[in-house]
Amino acid sequence: MSDQGEQITYAAAGVDVEAGDKAVELMKADVRRATRPEVLGGLGGFAGMFDASAIARMDRPVLATSTDGVGTKVAIAQALDIHDTIGFDLVGMVVDDIVVCGAEPLFMTDYIATGKVVPERIAAIVGGIARACEQAGVALVGGETAEHPGLLEPDEYDVAGAATGVVEYAAVLGPQRVRPGDVVLGLASSGLHSNGYSLVRKVIEQAGWSLDRHVDEFGRTLGEELLEPTRVYSRDLLDLIGTDDLDIHALSHVTGGGLAANLARVLPDDVFARVDRATWTPPAVFSTVQSLGRVPRADIERTLNMGVGFVAMLPADQTDLAVSTLARSGIAAWPMGEVTALEGAPIEDGVEVVRGAKGVDGGSVQVVGSHPTA
């Protein structure tokens, strides 16, 4: 082998280890706040450790886990060079899937891949993740930042995460609890959340709209609206589940696939849920995207949350208590439909019925009517 030519170092290949170390130093203060008493050790270990002795004292503990990313919403953050909010999107997508079964999210890890480690940018991303974990009562016990020169452009990055929670077996929420007569309660989203951005970005690109364009219907710029962080519901939903005189039967996180499909996933196969659009007006961003791109209603409803971030099912006579409890947490909620037996259900002719979704042989959902004008 020849020893001629320039020496090649890891830094020359595009990986800056010192920049990664600096990023860790910058994020330490934020990560320290995203903790719980059960966390053992500190930042920088090979594995995050969590004292499970409390879980061992449960009657029949069931662990729940979830993993997700933010999708192409990161492209908006990169274009605006604002990176301290995307962490709320990541945490919301991960921990709020765990609370669907009634589990309390306990700890989370994150993963960031980037073309070039810019310490301040990585620290801003992780800082957002840590603040969202703190809000959710979840410990951020570890993570990884990987530099991928040649695979990603210097200013590009993607984020992902995973979390674990626990619930008593007897307290697991889901289809087995849902009964005819239950009300379908909608919980307002904070906006687009983190799904459907490939559609949204395509619409604004074809319309020629810039992210700094002021949109009167939003009361702010397009970029500010699109970067609005995902609402993190988990702690408030756990409070709802634990409220005296409330018996929450099932929860559904409205993410990819839209309202009907995600609701069908948490229904037994012998029930039917009828949801009425007339019960709520989606925020302006949804109608703007739909009209600007001439997106068919069926397509936009399968892609975006249309202003509903979560759905809860519970006995109809508990609706007022659930609504007032959520209002104290700053979450608007309203009855949007009801559950009936599938046999003899009031199915409207000519309107699509969604039966199960994402491999789940679930219940049937029909969304009817029209939204009121804003």
Side-chain angles (χ1 to χ4, degrees):
M1 294 180 63
S2 172
D3 59 357
Q4 295 182 352
E6 182 181 354
Q7 289 184 326
I8 299 177
T9 64
Y10 205 14
V15 177
D16 188 344
V17 176
E18 291 182 0
D21 292 341
K22 182 180 178 183
V24 172
E25 288 299 319
L26 291 174
M27 69 178 71
K28 272 186 174 180
D30 285 321
V31 174
R32 285 194 190 102
R33 292 196 295 270
T35 190
R36 292 171 57 115
E38 302 95 333
V39 174
L40 304 176
L43 187 66
F46 283 92
M49 293 186 292
F50 192 90
D51 184 349
S53 56
I55 295 174
R57 293 192 293 271
M58 296 173 68
D59 291 332
R60 188 178 175 183
V62 176
L63 295 178
T65 185
S66 177
T67 185
D68 209 340
V70 176
T72 62
K73 187 170 184 175
V74 296
I76 306 297
Q78 292 160 21
L80 294 173
D81 196 23
I82 297 174
H83 311 285
D84 60 350
T85 63
I86 207 75
F88 281 82
D89 300 291
L90 179 62
V91 173
M93 288 298 100
V94 174
V95 305
D96 285 347
D97 275 359
I98 287 176
V99 80
V100 165
C101 66
E104 178 187 2
L106 299 174
F107 55 84
M108 180 171 176
T109 57
D110 66 74
Y111 176 79
I112 304 170
T114 183
K116 179 179 176 58
V117 169
V118 178
E120 293 77 12
R121 182 166 61 209
I122 299 300
I125 297 168
V126 176
I129 296 171
R131 287 190 297 277
C133 283
E134 183 181 14
Q135 178 181 312
V138 177
L140 184 60
V141 297
E144 175 70 13
T145 299
E147 202 164 25
H148 291 167
L151 182 62
L152 295 169
E153 294 298 322
D155 290 334
E156 290 181 340
Y157 62 82
D158 196 14
V159 296
T164 298
V166 67
V167 58
E168 282 279 12
Y169 178 81
V172 171
L173 305 182
Q176 75 280 2
R177 293 176 177 261
V178 177
R179 300 287 183 269
D182 282 355
V183 69
V184 179
L185 193 72
L187 280 63
S189 69
S190 58
L192 294 171
H193 285 184
S194 299
N195 296 102
Y197 273 78
S198 294
L199 171 65
V200 173
R201 290 168 52 242
K202 185 68 173 179
V203 167
I204 63 175
E205 176 189 353
Q206 289 201 347
W209 283 26
S210 63
L211 293 176
D212 61 0
R213 179 190 182 108
H214 186 273
V215 182
D216 290 342
E217 292 82 357
F218 304 161
R220 53 182 173 177
T221 67
L222 174 64
E224 289 170 332
E225 180 69 29
L226 297 187
L227 205 58
E228 178 68 31
T230 299
R231 172 172 274 151
V232 180
Y233 296 87
S234 56
R235 177 170 275 178
D236 297 319
L237 286 173
L238 289 171
D239 289 342
L240 184 74
I241 293 166
T243 299
D244 291 340
D245 299 321
L246 275 182
D247 181 18
I248 305 300
H249 289 167
L251 295 170
S252 176
H253 191 190
V254 183
T255 55
L259 172 60
N262 282 291
L263 177 54
R265 295 169 68 185
V266 297
L267 297 177
D269 60 10
D270 60 349
V271 306
F272 169 79
R274 185 178 186 270
V275 174
D276 191 351
R277 296 184 186 91
T279 59
W280 86 99
T281 301
V285 64
F286 298 98
S287 57
T288 299
V289 170
Q290 185 175 8
S291 61
L292 195 62
R294 299 189 298 278
V295 183
R297 183 167 74 179
D299 193 77
I300 200 166
E301 289 186 344
R302 281 194 299 264
T303 307
L304 304 180
N305 67 57
M306 301 305 292
V308 183
F310 245 91
V311 174
M313 275 151 288
L314 66 159
D317 60 1
Q318 299 176 13
T319 302
D320 290 345
L321 177 57
V323 169
S324 62
T325 301
L326 289 164
R328 287 194 292 274
S329 298
I331 299 174
W334 65 96
M336 62 192 312
E338 60 182 357
V339 175
T340 63
L342 180 58
E343 185 177 355
I347 298 176
E348 190 170 314
D349 291 339
V351 179
E352 180 187 17
V353 176
V354 176
R355 292 184 172 88
K358 295 193 176 182
V360 177
D361 186 18
S364 300
V365 177
Q366 188 177 56
V367 184
V368 301
S370 298
H371 296 295
T373 55

